[in-house]
Amino acid sequence: MKHPNGADVPAPENNAAQDTGRFSNSLFDWCEAMIFSLILVVVVFTFFFRLIAVDGTSMLPTLQDHDMMIVSGLGYTPERGDVIVVNKETFDLGPIVKRVIAVGGDTVDINFATGDVMVNGEVLNEPYINEPTYTAEGTEFPLTVPEGQLFLMGDNRNGSSDSRDPRIGLVDERYVIGHVLGVIFPFSSFGAVE
């Protein structure tokens, strides 16, 4: 195209074609980012964290029925006081959530008259329990926990089936799914679990 004074004038650019190209590039980048994010979430929740719902009231007041917990088992070693999720083939209803009271080598004793729980001769300070431990379920005390085993109890001591009950008994550390880090739902219960 020539200008009236004889100079060459560049042809007008096709803005519509450029806009379409930019749009398809942006859409592709957005889809790629979403797919990467989805894969990352799947990997994280497969190998590092799990979401597990509380079923029942055995951990009141620490955990409520139907609370959604985030649980991590990567490189985890159970310690006294931890809230954990365990599963073994003898559990009728699947995984259970309990507190670690004693680990291998510890001796547990319970005074059902006073409600005191003792580990290695010392009464536990248990601000997290619903009420003192008055319910015996058939296990004889004192009890020394073998290495690699755990003695577990629910925080709702008189409404929990746990290691006091021979049907559950001591739990092998290999059955630990993970350590409860916190509650993520409902939002009214959101926070770390201690």
Side-chain angles (χ1 to χ4, degrees), residues 1 44 108:
M1 181 186 278
V44 165
V108 180

Side-chain angles (χ1 to χ4, degrees), residues 153-173:
M153 295 175 78
D155 290 355
N156 185 13
R157 292 293 165 75
N158 302 307
S160 171
S161 292
D162 49 42
S163 291
R164 292 171 290 166
D165 185 337
R167 293 173 295 178
I168 293 178
L170 298 172
V171 176
D172 193 300
E173 289 184 9

Side-chain angles (χ1 to χ4, degrees), residues 54-101:
V54 175
D55 184 16
T57 59
S58 72
M59 283 299 291
L60 291 174
T62 306
L63 295 168
Q64 310 295 316
D65 190 22
H66 303 300
D67 278 355
M68 184 62 67
M69 308 172 294
I70 188 162
V71 177
S72 175
L74 186 66
Y76 172 67
T77 301
E79 296 180 12
R80 281 184 226 110
D82 288 351
V83 176
I84 64 172
V85 177
V86 295
N87 193 18
K88 67 180 186 178
E89 64 278 355
T90 57
F91 295 166
D92 293 334
L93 301 175
I96 60 172
V97 58
K98 302 292 176 193
R99 188 176 296 273
V100 177
I101 300 301

Side-chain angles (χ1 to χ4, degrees), residues 26 52 67 85-86 91 96 101 107-108 113 123 131 141 143 145 149 159 175 184:
S26 295
I52 298 176
D67 278 355
V85 177
V86 295
F91 295 166
I96 60 172
I101 300 301
T107 299
V108 180
V123 175
E131 57 189 352
F141 295 96
L143 169 71
V145 180
Q149 303 281 311
Y175 296 126
I184 61 167

